[in-house]
Amino acid sequence: MTQVGHNSNKPRAGGVAVDQLKSIIARVEKLEEEKKGIADDIKDVFAEARGNGWDVKAIRQILKIRKMDQSEREEAENILDTYMSALGMLPLFEEDGE
Amino acid sequence: MTQVGHNSNKPRAGGVAVDQLKSIIARVEKLEEEKKGIADDIKDVFAEARGNGWDVKAIRQILKIRKMDQSEREEAENILDTYMSALGMLPLFEEDGE
Amino acid sequence: MTQVGHNSNKPRAGGVAVDQLKSIIARVEKLEEEKKGIADDIKDVFAEARGNGWDVKAIRQILKIRKMDQSEREEAENILDTYMSALGMLPLFEEDGE
Amino acid sequence: MTQVGHNSNKPRAGGVAVDQLKSIIARVEKLEEEKKGIADDIKDVFAEARGNGWDVKAIRQILKIRKMDQSEREEAENILDTYMSALGMLPLFEEDGE
C-alpha cells in the first residue's frame, strides 16, 4: 500500500498520517450534513406545494424540462410525436392531418 | 445469531447448514447470470435499432408511456400543459387560445 | 429528423417504417418481461432463505464478495484495516499489536 | 384538475396561480444549485485526498461504517464471518480454529 503522507512529521499509525485522514473525514461529513439539510429543504418546498394543491410530479417534469436545451427538446418532442403517430398512439395529441 | 437450519442433520459449520447456504448462493448466481444475459439482449436490440437510424431515446420514452395507464397519462399531460402554458413555456405546443 | 428505414418498401407513416418500429418495441417488451420474471425468481429465493432463518444481507454481501477479484479484495481489506486502526475504529477486529 | 390556489386574487392562467408556481420553481432551482455546489465540494475533497495518496474507496467505506449503529455493525460482521467460514471463504481473515 502506498505510504500515505510519508513526508509529514505528523502523528502516524501504520504509515498513515492520522490527522490528515481525520480532517478528510470531518470535512466530508460536514459537507454531507449540509447537503442533507438542503435536500430536506427541497422536500419541504414540495410538501408545501402539495399541501397547496399543486401536482408535484408535473412541477418536477417542468424543472427537468427547464434544464434541457430548447432546440434539443423540440427535436426530441418531434421525433416522439412522429413515432407515436406511426404507432397510432397519438389520439392523445391532435393528429397532424396524417 | 439465530441458529440456522438447526433441525437438519446436514453438514454444519459454526451452526450453519452449509449445503443449504451453498444452494441459495448457487441458485441466485445462476438466476443473476440469466438476468444479465437478457439485459445484454435488450442492449443488442437497442444497438441494432440505433444502427438502423432509430432514435433510441424516443423508443425508450414510448416503452415507458405504454406501461402507463392511459387515463392517468392523459391527466398528467393536461396538468403539465396547463402549468407550462401558465409559465409561458408552451410555444412548443399549440397555445390553446389562452 | 433522419429518415428511418428509408430504403424499405414496408408501410410507412411520417417517414417511419412502422413494422420495424413495432418489432423493436415488441422484442424489448418481451425481453423486459422475461427479465422481470427472473428478478421475481431471485426475490423468491431470498424470501425463502429469510423464511429459513438466513440473514439475507450477509448472503448479498457474500454474493458481492464472490464477484470481486481475490487479490484486489485482500488489498482493499488491508487498506481499510490500516485506516480503521489509525482512527481507533478497530476494536471490532483484533488490534494487530499496534 | 383541482383548482390551484383558487382563493388568491393573484394573476391566474388556466386556473393556475402563476406567481405561486413561479416561486416554487425558483426556490427549488436555487436549492438544487446550492446542493450541486456542495456535491462538487465533496468531490474536490476526495480528489485532493486521492492526490495525496489516500485510497478514496476505503475512506468512503469508513464514512459508511461511521453512519452505522455499532452493535448492529458488529452483529452483521459476526454473521458474515460465520457464513464465510462455513463456505471456506475465510482465509482472508484468521480462521477461528474451526
Side-chain angles (χ1 to χ4, degrees):
Chain A
M1 187 195 75
T2 50
Q3 283 298 358
V4 179
H6 55 280
N7 48 16
S8 88
N9 51 16
K10 300 255 177 67
R12 308 178 58 66
V16 164
V18 187
D19 288 353
Q20 207 183 83
L21 181 55
K22 284 182 179 171
S23 143
I24 292 166
I25 286 173
R27 282 164 67 197
V28 173
E29 284 181 342
K30 186 170 164 291
L31 286 166
E32 278 186 350
E33 210 177 304
E34 276 175 47
K35 198 173 129 197
K36 180 155 182 335
I38 294 177
D40 291 343
D41 292 345
I42 292 175
K43 268 189 213 149
D44 292 345
V45 173
F46 280 126
E48 188 191 305
R50 193 175 290 114
N52 285 330
W54 294 98
D55 182 299
V56 166
K57 219 173 181 183
I59 292 177
R60 285 188 195 279
Q61 185 76 9
I62 285 174
L63 288 163
K64 215 170 115 187
I65 289 171
R66 285 169 57 93
K67 284 180 194 151
M68 292 167 77
D69 166 81
Q70 175 90 10
S71 56
E72 271 172 33
R73 185 163 59 97
E74 275 167 28
E75 203 205 328
E77 292 284 348
N78 291 338
I79 293 172
L80 184 62
D81 280 354
T82 304
Y83 286 12
M84 290 182 76
S85 149
L87 294 168
M89 291 172 69
L90 215 55
L92 173 70
F93 309 97
E94 297 68 46
E95 288 270 3
D96 46 13
E98 196 47 39
Chain B
M1 187 195 75
T2 49
Q3 282 299 359
V4 178
H6 55 276
N7 46 21
S8 91
N9 51 17
K10 300 256 178 65
R12 310 180 54 70
V16 164
V18 187
D19 288 354
Q20 207 183 86
L21 181 55
K22 283 181 179 171
S23 141
I24 293 165
I25 287 172
R27 282 164 67 198
V28 173
E29 284 181 339
K30 186 170 164 291
L31 286 167
E32 278 186 349
E33 209 177 305
E34 276 176 45
K35 197 172 131 201
K36 179 154 182 337
I38 293 177
D40 291 343
D41 292 346
I42 292 174
K43 267 188 213 148
D44 293 345
V45 173
F46 280 128
E48 188 191 304
R50 193 175 289 114
N52 284 330
W54 294 99
D55 184 296
V56 166
K57 220 174 180 183
I59 293 177
R60 285 188 194 280
Q61 185 76 8
I62 286 174
L63 288 162
K64 217 170 116 188
I65 289 172
R66 284 169 58 93
K67 284 180 194 150
M68 293 168 74
D69 165 81
Q70 175 92 10
S71 58
E72 272 171 33
R73 184 163 59 96
E74 276 167 27
E75 204 206 329
E77 292 285 347
N78 290 340
I79 294 172
L80 185 62
D81 280 353
T82 305
Y83 287 11
M84 290 181 75
S85 148
L87 294 168
M89 291 172 69
L90 216 54
L92 175 69
F93 309 96
E94 299 68 42
E95 288 268 5
D96 43 16
E98 195 49 33
Chain C
M1 189 197 72
T2 50
Q3 283 298 359
V4 179
H6 55 277
N7 46 21
S8 90
N9 50 19
K10 300 253 178 69
R12 308 180 56 69
V16 165
V18 188
D19 288 352
Q20 208 182 82
L21 180 56
K22 284 182 179 170
S23 143
I24 293 165
I25 287 174
R27 282 164 68 197
V28 173
E29 284 181 341
K30 185 168 166 293
L31 287 166
E32 279 186 349
E33 209 176 306
E34 277 175 45
K35 198 172 128 198
K36 180 155 182 336
I38 293 176
D40 292 342
D41 293 345
I42 292 174
K43 268 188 212 148
D44 294 344
V45 173
F46 281 127
E48 189 191 305
R50 192 176 289 115
N52 285 330
W54 293 99
D55 182 298
V56 166
K57 219 174 181 181
I59 292 177
R60 285 187 195 278
Q61 185 75 8
I62 286 173
L63 288 162
K64 216 170 116 187
I65 289 171
R66 283 169 59 92
K67 283 181 194 148
M68 293 167 75
D69 166 82
Q70 175 92 9
S71 57
E72 272 171 32
R73 184 161 62 98
E74 275 166 27
E75 203 205 331
E77 291 285 347
N78 291 338
I79 294 172
L80 185 61
D81 281 353
T82 305
Y83 286 11
M84 289 181 75
S85 150
L87 294 168
M89 291 173 68
L90 215 55
L92 174 69
F93 310 96
E94 299 67 44
E95 289 268 3
D96 44 16
E98 197 48 33
Chain D
M1 186 196 73
T2 50
Q3 282 299 358
V4 179
H6 56 278
N7 48 18
S8 89
N9 52 15
K10 299 257 177 68
R12 310 178 55 69
V16 164
V18 188
D19 289 352
Q20 207 183 83
L21 180 56
K22 283 181 179 170
S23 144
I24 293 166
I25 287 172
R27 283 164 66 197
V28 173
E29 284 180 341
K30 187 168 164 294
L31 288 166
E32 280 186 349
E33 210 177 304
E34 277 175 46
K35 197 173 132 200
K36 181 159 182 331
I38 294 177
D40 292 343
D41 293 345
I42 293 174
K43 268 189 214 147
D44 294 345
V45 173
F46 280 127
E48 188 192 304
R50 193 174 288 114
N52 285 330
W54 294 99
D55 183 298
V56 166
K57 220 172 177 183
I59 292 178
R60 285 188 194 279
Q61 186 74 9
I62 285 174
L63 288 163
K64 216 170 115 187
I65 289 172
R66 284 169 58 93
K67 283 180 193 152
M68 292 168 75
D69 166 81
Q70 175 92 10
S71 57
E72 272 170 32
R73 183 161 61 96
E74 276 168 26
E75 202 205 329
E77 291 285 346
N78 292 337
I79 294 172
L80 185 62
D81 280 353
T82 305
Y83 286 13
M84 289 181 77
S85 149
L87 292 167
M89 291 172 70
L90 215 56
L92 173 69
F93 311 96
E94 297 68 46
E95 289 268 6
D96 45 14
E98 194 48 37

